[in-house]
């Protein structure tokens, strides 16, 4: 197909497709003339993944390219692929790990202390989880605990253990849904959509369950 058809099929503007081509996110098409090329289904699927990474996951172009580079290897390492999708990247020099600023309580009550960081380490150790030190979720939990305690709540990592156990079950369900597709493009796309797009629905389910439980307890 011509680039105009690729744009129509993928829903991505022609100018954006050309930008992705220049940045190396999208492989070049088959040249048919000096200034023309043809594109195939792999380009449509690749654009779907790029849109999921940048538009849904919110990754910067450089991070999206890292994910695509793993996919390009053909036999994508699922663990490495998921880590990149989740934003688990080594810290940039002189800065925090990518994604650390996503914390819902970032800066809400001052900087977290070493003690707050140790709380998260203790939680992870208690659960027996093998997780990267660069996982931005560590910072989110650290800042949350710090904020709760700075507002007078006597809340430590032990209170999170029941939630951690439920999260562990949820993670099992998440990874079960990623089993099956052998194609790296499809696997990466499912990883983005099933992990990122489901998060608001999971929070909404919690809200529904809270109302239902409140009805049972307080309204009979």
């Amino acid at each position: 197909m011509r680039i105009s058809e690729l744009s129509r099929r993928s829903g991505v503007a022609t100018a954006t497709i050309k930008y992705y081509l220049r940045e190396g996110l999208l492989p070049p098409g088959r040249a048919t003339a000096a200034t023309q090329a043809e594109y195939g289904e792999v380009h449509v699927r690749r654009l779907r993944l790029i849109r999921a990474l940048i538009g849904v996951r919110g990754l910067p172009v450089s991070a999206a390219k890292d994910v695509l580079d793993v996919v390009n290897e053909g036999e994508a390492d699922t663990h490495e692929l998921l880590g990149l999708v989740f934003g688990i990247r080594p810290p940039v020099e002189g800065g925090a790990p990518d994604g650390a600023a996503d914390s819902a309580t970032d800066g809400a009550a001052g900087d977290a202390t070493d003690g707050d960081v140790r709380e998260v380490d203790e939680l992870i150790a208690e659960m027996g989880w093998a997780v990267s030190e660069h996982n931005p979720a560590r910072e989110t939990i650290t800042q949350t605990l710090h904020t709760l305690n700075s507002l007078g709540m006597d809340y430590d990592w032990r209170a999170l253990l029941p939630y951690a156990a439920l999260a562990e079950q949820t993670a099992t369900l998440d990874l079960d849904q990623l089993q099956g597709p052998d194609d790296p493009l499809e696997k990466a796309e499912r990883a983005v959509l099933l992990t990122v797009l489901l998060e608001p629905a999971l929070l909404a389910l919690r809200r529904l369950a809270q109302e239902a439980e409140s009805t049972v307890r307080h309204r009979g």
Side-chain angles (χ1 to χ4, degrees):
M1 69 191 81
R2 301 278 294 275
I3 194 169
S4 57
E5 174 68 6
L6 178 61
S7 174
R8 188 187 69 78
R9 288 274 308 277
S10 64
V12 179
T14 299
T16 304
I17 293 175
K18 291 180 178 178
Y19 170 71
Y20 292 156
L21 287 165
R22 288 196 304 271
E23 294 297 314
L25 277 76
L26 193 66
R30 183 176 66 85
T32 57
T35 59
Q36 292 184 354
E38 286 185 343
Y39 303 90
E41 289 300 320
V42 68
H43 292 90
V44 176
R45 294 174 60 196
R46 179 87 167 210
L47 281 171
R48 282 174 48 188
L49 175 56
I50 294 171
R51 290 182 67 188
L53 291 170
I54 295 176
V56 177
R57 174 65 179 85
L59 291 180
V61 169
S62 60
K65 191 172 186 305
D66 287 343
V67 176
L68 293 166
D69 285 344
V70 173
V71 172
N72 284 342
E73 295 176 3
E75 294 295 330
D77 182 294
T78 302
H79 186 65
E80 181 182 358
L81 184 63
L82 288 175
L84 291 170
V85 168
F86 297 157
I88 305 171
R89 297 161 57 83
V92 294
E93 191 169 338
D98 286 357
D102 292 340
S103 170
T105 56
D106 187 35
D111 294 332
T113 65
D114 289 342
D116 297 317
V117 174
R118 283 194 297 272
E119 290 245 317
V120 178
D121 289 339
E122 290 184 57
L123 170 63
I124 292 170
E126 180 68 23
M127 293 301 299
W129 289 344
V131 296
S132 167
E133 62 180 298
H134 305 307
N135 192 319
R138 285 176 175 265
E139 175 69 10
T140 300
I141 298 173
T142 298
Q143 287 288 352
T144 300
L145 290 175
H146 175 73
T147 301
L148 284 170
N149 284 286
S150 68
L151 294 175
M153 288 280 293
D154 185 16
Y155 205 93
D156 70 4
W157 65 271
R158 295 172 186 83
L160 290 177
L161 285 174
Y163 294 99
L166 292 174
E168 194 170 62
Q169 296 178 43
T170 302
T172 300
L173 293 173
D174 289 339
L175 272 292
D176 284 347
Q177 294 183 76
L178 297 182
Q179 299 298 319
D182 294 324
D183 182 83
L185 275 174
E186 184 179 355
K187 184 176 293 186
E189 185 180 19
R190 285 174 66 85
V192 176
L193 298 180
L194 288 175
T195 56
V196 179
L197 285 186
L198 271 180
E199 286 183 351
L202 296 180
L203 178 59
L205 285 172
R206 184 186 181 199
R207 295 288 181 261
L208 292 174
Q210 286 171 336
E211 181 188 356
E213 181 65 18
S214 177
T215 300
V216 170
R217 293 190 183 201
H218 305 300
R219 292 288 180 86

